[in-house]
Amino acid sequence: MDIPRRPYLRFNEFGGTSLWFTGVPDPPCDVPDIEEKVEEATEEIRRLERRMQERHDDAERA
């Protein structure tokens, strides 16, 4: 007997909602969480800022 996959809304800790279906398992635990993604994005922005500052400093010296 097939289990019907009924849609339902699931609330998250950030106040948002997402659409889930019954009978579908949760994603595996090795998926990066939001804090890890924010840290990676922040570090990338800092790297870009340092690179742009170095270019600006080089242009002023020339």
Side-chain angles (χ1 to χ4, degrees):
M1 182 175 176
D2 285 337
I3 298 172
R5 300 202 190 284
R6 294 187 186 105
Y8 67 98
L9 293 177
R10 182 183 277 185
F11 297 95
N12 62 29
E13 64 270 15
F14 302 109
T17 57
S18 56
L19 183 64
W20 288 74
F21 293 90
T22 57
V24 176
D26 288 344
C29 295
D30 62 347
V31 175
D33 62 350
I34 190 71
E35 287 85 15
E36 291 175 17
K37 290 181 179 180
V38 167
E39 285 179 26
E40 291 172 6
T42 303
E43 185 57 36
E44 180 65 24
I45 290 171
R46 287 182 180 148
R47 272 186 263 150
L48 290 171
E49 180 185 21
R50 284 191 296 265
R51 198 173 337 156
M52 293 296 291
Q53 186 64 38
E54 289 171 2
R55 287 183 184 174
H56 183 268
D57 292 344
D58 290 343
E60 284 184 349
R61 287 186 215 147

